[in-house]
Amino acid sequence: MNGLALRHMRTLFRIEWKLFNRIRANYVFAVAVPLMLLVAMRSVQEQMDLAAHGVDAGPLMVSTSAGILLIFTLYSSVTGLYVARREELVLKRLRTGEVSDPVILAGGASMYVALTVAQIAVVAVVLSVMFGAAPRQPLSAVAGLVTGVALMTAMAAATAALCRSVESVMVATLPAIFVLPLASGVYIPREVLPDALGDVLVYAPLSPTVDLIRSGWTGQLSAAEVPARIVLDAVWAALFAWVAFRRFRWEPRT
């Protein structure tokens, strides 16, 4: 990325940050709601016999929190952002200048990316202290976070391409909000599921991210499995990016 693109990214970040801070209710959705969901999921996981399946509660909570925050703070928010800026003709005006399409989308999402990464980092530190769990494969966790951010941003662009209006965002994001956490081991670890089902769900979107982040604390993935999970995440991200490239609309439907 050249210097001009970086300047555009910084400018778009500052604009979105100012707009975000104008509406204090944004903090309720982007901060309080995911954290309340995390507390609720902790209560659910306490009802499971995790020890019998060889699952450590500390690393599991770290990967659970990361998955929840990636879906709610990043994916859901960025999908709404893209659609809102399209309806306001902001995206159309940006395209008339020298800003490239990828920079427009990345710059618009950059504020929520920073917020999500900060949330995950803080929660991971707190949970590590609470459960006395030190990272064993920190690079695996970093790789999971990077690929997760790329995947959720690409998925947000693809979902926004299917939305006709801001009002339709809530409906369009429902499948990912409800189905994706269940399929990727965010709410229920795959170890407690039947083996056949768990083996299939390894290939679900966001499953590689969850595995990589949890392995950052458990070291469960081998040297060969870590790159495999990264590639799988990259394939899903590329697929959603391709859908966005083919279907994304830069101005409202007439």
Side-chain angles (χ1 to χ4, degrees):
M1 184 177 293
N2 56 38
L4 181 61
L6 287 174
R7 286 198 297 272
H8 289 152
M9 288 275 291
R10 287 195 295 268
T11 300
L12 291 171
F13 176 90
R14 288 195 297 269
I15 292 172
E16 292 300 337
W17 178 249
K18 289 180 180 179
L19 293 174
F20 181 87
N21 281 283
R22 285 182 181 178
I23 304 175
R24 299 303 179 183
N26 283 335
Y27 288 100
V28 176
F29 178 77
V31 179
V33 171
L35 292 180
M36 286 189 293
L37 284 170
L38 177 60
V39 173
M41 290 318 305
R42 173 57 179 163
S43 299
V44 172
Q45 291 172 354
E46 284 179 346
Q47 308 304 316
M48 305 176 190
D49 191 2
L50 298 178
H53 295 87
V55 178
D56 190 342
L60 176 63
M61 286 300 298
V62 173
S63 61
T64 294
S65 64
I68 290 175
L69 293 171
L70 284 168
I71 292 171
F72 282 87
T73 303
L74 184 56
Y75 166 74
S76 181
S77 300
V78 172
T79 301
L81 174 73
Y82 286 154
V83 178
R85 297 297 177 262
R86 182 183 68 201
E87 298 301 302
E88 296 163 356
L89 301 180
V90 172
L91 299 183
K92 183 179 180 179
R93 288 195 295 269
L94 286 172
R95 293 189 86 202
T96 62
E98 55 186 2
V99 187
S100 66
D101 291 353
V103 171
I104 292 174
L105 296 180
S110 61
M111 193 279 296
Y112 284 100
V113 170
L115 177 61
T116 303
V117 171
Q119 285 181 316
I120 292 174
V122 171
V123 172
V125 170
V126 171
L127 290 173
S128 296
V129 173
M130 287 177 56
F131 289 93
R136 298 181 182 179
Q137 287 181 339
L139 293 181
S140 174
V142 172
L145 181 57
V146 171
T147 55
V149 166
L151 173 63
M152 290 293 98
T153 305
M155 188 183 294
T159 306
L162 306 177
C163 296
R164 297 186 63 88
S165 64
V166 175
E167 290 75 18
S168 64
V169 170
M170 183 175 296
V171 176
T173 56
L174 283 179
I177 290 176
F178 286 101
V179 178
L180 191 59
L182 293 172
S184 59
V186 173
Y187 291 164
I188 303 174
R190 291 195 305 274
E191 287 84 351
V192 306
L193 300 175
D195 291 342
L197 179 59
D199 292 341
V200 172
L201 294 181
V202 169
Y203 300 97
L206 202 61
S207 286
T209 292
V210 172
D211 290 346
L212 287 166
I213 292 176
R214 179 144 52 120
S215 183
W217 273 258
T218 63
Q220 66 191 43
L221 296 180
S222 67
E225 290 174 325
V226 170
R229 294 296 200 282
I230 294 174
V231 170
L232 182 56
D233 243 345
V235 169
W236 277 114
L239 176 61
F240 287 116
W242 177 80
V243 173
F245 175 77
R246 296 293 300 270
R247 301 291 300 276
F248 195 87
R249 290 180 176 270
W250 296 90
E251 54 187 278
R253 289 182 171 93
T254 56

